[in-house]
Amino acid sequence: MKAENMDQPWWHPERHADRRGILLVRNRIQARLRGWLAEREFVEVDPSALAFSPGNEAHLHGFMTMAIGNDGMGRAMYLHTSPEFAMKKLLAAGERRIAAFAHVFRNRERGALHSPEFTMLEWYRVGEGYEVLMEDVVAFCRLAAEIGGGVLRFRDRVCDPFAEPERLSVAEAFQRYAGVDLLASIRADGEPVAEVLAAELARIGLRVAEDDTWSDMLSRVLGELVEPHLGVGRITILDQYPSAEAALARKHPGDARVAERFEVYACGVELANGFGELTNPDEQRRRFGLEMDEKARVYGERYPLDEDFLTALAIMPPASGIAMGFDRVVMLATGAGRIDDVIWAPVPG
């Protein structure tokens, strides 16, 4: 991007001409990924963006609106933060391989890697383990790099997606990059113990506030000490998240302290978040309740539960699912510095 064009609005002819090459690469990458999915008999679906609940994770923030009926009465609705609930209902309806390029909306998010509205590629495989999703993401990164610059790049970090990916657990990453024994702070049933993790952070000299929860401390170590090392040189698959940090994932069959959840990183940037999906509606309701209690504690608000989703979950077959930030993949494939550079018409402001 030419420096002299950076202060112009995105629609200015000179700035658009500067961005257009990247935007056309975006279209080519999207077409290639659609072809890959179609070849493997994925059905592309198009979930509605309006929902009764935007999602029930404590630190995700939705946009609320009011749906006015023919009777003039209003009902609060939200723009979804993910098409997950709708897509899982489709799995309950009988679909087995589905994918969606969905526009999703997240409030309180704006920056080089964040836009309030962005494109998420989400896909599900019924009856298949979550490890196959790891292979999917690596394949997508390679396809994008072939169309882009041959490597993935963000600022001064470079990742070769064609190299063998690195796979390590969150606990291994904490030990390697922070010297923290994460599993020592989790009981055998998966419940975290904040005092134990606080002692670990104090030992390595990392600040701990009086009101920090176990989750707050985990996020600080991950963001400050671990993430900058992930996906540098080659893709990193960060696997087996603690169960307390995986509200929508199954617990790992061999260790209840961790879950079938992973994230994929390149150049220190998170690209995708995948799960072996939880299908127990009672357990899901319990976890949503905990997430909303935390949202109320931190932000003073809570979102309604999608009762229709919880009902559908009871008949949803075993499946694995994943969400990938499509714009971020395009960013890294083209070397763009900001997410707005790869969005055709960015959100104003």
Side-chain angles (χ1 to χ4, degrees):
M1 187 73 65
K2 295 178 182 177
E4 60 268 26
N5 293 336
M6 289 297 294
D7 293 333
Q8 297 170 333
W10 61 263
W11 48 262
H12 191 282
E14 290 182 6
R15 185 162 184 191
H16 179 66
D18 206 15
R19 298 193 320 128
R20 190 169 186 272
I22 288 177
L23 297 173
L24 293 177
V25 170
R26 173 196 175 99
N27 284 10
R28 290 171 57 201
I29 292 172
Q30 188 171 30
R32 187 80 175 272
L33 297 189
R34 278 194 162 113
W36 189 99
L37 290 162
E39 288 171 4
R40 288 154 183 81
E41 299 184 336
F42 280 85
V43 175
E44 185 169 348
V45 299
D46 188 15
S48 170
L50 275 177
F52 291 131
S53 173
N56 296 105
E57 295 179 59
H59 302 293
L60 286 184
H61 304 279
F63 287 86
M64 190 181 77
T65 187
M66 190 65 65
I68 309 297
N70 293 338
D71 58 1
M73 302 297 290
R75 178 174 184 176
M77 295 191 76
Y78 297 84
L79 294 172
H80 63 190
T81 57
S82 160
E84 180 170 6
F85 291 179
M87 294 183 77
K88 286 182 176 177
K89 290 172 187 176
L90 287 170
L91 298 183
E95 296 294 338
R96 297 192 61 82
R97 283 190 180 185
I98 54 175
F101 281 93
H103 278 235
V104 299
F105 305 84
R106 296 187 178 182
N107 222 338
R108 303 192 187 208
E109 295 193 10
R110 193 84 200 228
L113 292 167
H114 296 88
S115 172
E117 178 182 357
F118 62 96
T119 300
M120 178 181 286
L121 172 56
E122 190 155 325
W123 68 101
Y124 291 84
R125 291 174 174 267
V126 167
E128 299 183 72
Y130 80 132
E131 291 87 353
V132 72
L133 301 176
M134 302 176 189
E135 299 173 8
D136 291 345
V137 178
V138 172
F140 290 171
C141 288
R142 289 171 176 172
L143 291 175
E146 287 173 358
I147 296 170
V151 297
L152 302 179
R153 186 185 304 274
F154 183 65
R155 297 176 179 166
D156 61 345
R157 296 177 183 149
V158 177
C159 173
D160 177 7
F162 301 98
E164 183 68 21
E166 170 189 42
R167 181 178 174 183
L168 71 163
S169 69
V170 175
E172 289 169 339
F174 269 54
Q175 190 66 60
R176 179 184 301 178
Y177 297 118
V180 168
D181 185 353
L182 179 62
L183 293 182
S185 72
I186 307 174
R187 297 193 181 106
D189 62 359
E191 284 299 309
V193 184
E195 296 79 7
V196 176
L197 189 55
E200 281 285 279
L201 267 60
R203 180 180 59 79
I204 64 171
L206 206 61
R207 62 183 174 84
V208 178
E210 288 186 9
D211 61 346
D212 273 347
T213 65
W214 180 89
S215 182
D216 293 332
M217 290 182 279
L218 178 137
S219 296
R220 186 171 304 125
V221 175
L222 186 63
E224 295 180 15
L225 301 179
V226 176
E227 284 187 333
H229 300 282
L230 304 180
V232 178
R234 59 176 173 159
I235 289 172
T236 298
I237 299 168
L238 191 64
D239 193 13
Q240 294 184 25
Y241 266 73
S243 297
E245 293 292 303
L248 290 140
R250 294 188 294 255
K251 288 187 176 181
H252 196 281
D255 188 345
R257 295 176 298 176
V258 296
E260 291 187 350
R261 176 191 172 190
F262 70 94
E263 291 188 327
V264 178
Y265 286 82
C267 306
V269 176
E270 179 208 337
L271 296 180
N273 187 16
F275 305 103
E277 301 293 350
L278 178 65
T279 55
N280 182 321
D282 295 330
E283 174 64 11
Q284 187 66 84
R285 183 184 295 276
R286 184 189 74 83
R287 294 190 194 181
F288 280 165
L290 293 173
E291 290 286 319
M292 291 301 92
D293 287 346
E294 179 67 2
K295 178 177 280 292
R297 182 188 74 84
V298 178
Y299 305 106
E301 62 177 338
R302 61 174 68 233
Y303 296 143
L305 302 188
D306 184 338
E307 294 293 343
D308 204 33
F309 165 67
L310 291 170
T311 300
L313 204 61
I315 63 170
M316 178 182 142
S320 297
I322 185 167
M324 184 179 82
F326 176 66
D327 310 281
R328 287 189 180 183
V329 172
V330 175
M331 277 184 67
L332 270 57
T334 60
R338 295 184 61 83
I339 194 169
D340 282 2
D341 293 339
V342 303
I343 295 175
W344 276 92
V347 175

